[in-house]
Amino acid sequence: MILRNRIEVMHGVNLDQLGRRDPAIYGSMTLLDLQDQIAGYAHELGLATSFFQTNAEGEFVEHLHRLGEMADGVILNPGAWTHYSWAIRDALEIAAVPAVEVHLSDVMAREEWRRQSVVRDLCVATVAGRGAEGYRDALARLAEELRDA
Ligand code: DQA
C-alpha cells in the first residue's frame, strides 16, 4: 500500500491549447480529456492526482514552491520551458519531491533545440513520445518510487 500517494500533474506553456495544436504531433485530445485519462490511470494505481496548468512562467515557479506542502510526487510537462527555463529548474530543485518529466511528443526526434532539457537530471525518469500513455508510465514510476521511500 502506498501511504504517500498525492501526485501533482503540472502542464506548462501552450499545453492548454491541446486539441488545437498539430494533432499529428500532439494528438487530438484537449487538456481536459488528457487530465481525465491521467486521473483514471492514477486511480488504477491507487494514486490521487491534482492538476495545474499555466502559461505564465512565474506562476509555474510559484506552484513548484508550494509543492512540498501538497504533493508527494510531481509529473511535469513544462512545454517549451523544458528547453531553457533555468528558473523552473531551480524551483524544481527547491521542491525536493520525486519528479518525472513527460512529453507527449518524441522530443529527441524533433528539432535540435528540443533535445535539451534543463530539468531531466532532477527527475527520476523522463518519458517522451508515448502520448497520453506516457503519463501512465510516469505514474507507475512514481508509485514505485513512493513505495520504496
Ligand atoms: C512538449 C514538447 C515541447 O518541445 C513543446 O514545446 C511543447 C510540448 C510535449 O509534450 O511534447 O509545448 O513538451
Side-chain angles (χ1 to χ4, degrees), residues 13 57 79-89 113 116-118:
V13 62
E57 187 180 4
W81 291 327
T82 306
H83 312 302
Y84 65 87
S85 175
W86 299 105
I88 287 174
R89 182 203 158 80
W113 60 269
Q116 146 109 332
S117 164
V118 298

Side-chain angles (χ1 to χ4, degrees), residues 13-15 21 25-26 77-83 102-107 110 113-114 129 135:
V13 62
N14 292 319
L15 285 155
R21 295 182 82 176
I25 295 176
Y26 296 111
N77 180 349
W81 291 327
T82 306
H83 312 302
V102 174
H103 301 286
L104 291 159
S105 67
D106 185 0
V107 279
R110 298 180 64 194
W113 60 269
R114 292 188 204 270
Y135 290 83

Side-chain angles (χ1 to χ4, degrees), residues 69-131:
E69 299 146 33
M70 46 191 232
D72 303 307
V74 62
I75 292 175
L76 73 166
N77 180 349
W81 291 327
T82 306
H83 312 302
Y84 65 87
S85 175
W86 299 105
I88 287 174
R89 182 203 158 80
D90 281 349
L92 182 61
E93 197 164 24
I94 292 165
V97 298
V100 177
E101 173 190 5
V102 174
H103 301 286
L104 291 159
S105 67
D106 185 0
V107 279
M108 297 312 266
R110 298 180 64 194
E111 300 93 323
E112 179 78 40
W113 60 269
R114 292 188 204 270
R115 294 194 195 150
Q116 146 109 332
S117 164
V118 298
V119 297
R120 188 174 302 141
D121 66 300
L122 296 176
C123 294
V124 295
T126 295
V127 184
R130 294 192 22 78

Side-chain angles (χ1 to χ4, degrees), residues 7-11 35 38 49-53 73-77 135 139:
I7 308 299
E8 189 72 15
V9 182
M10 295 181 63
H11 285 105
Q35 291 182 166
I38 296 169
T49 39
S50 359
F51 297 94
F52 179 80
Q53 189 278 331
V74 62
I75 292 175
L76 73 166
N77 180 349
Y135 290 83
L139 287 162

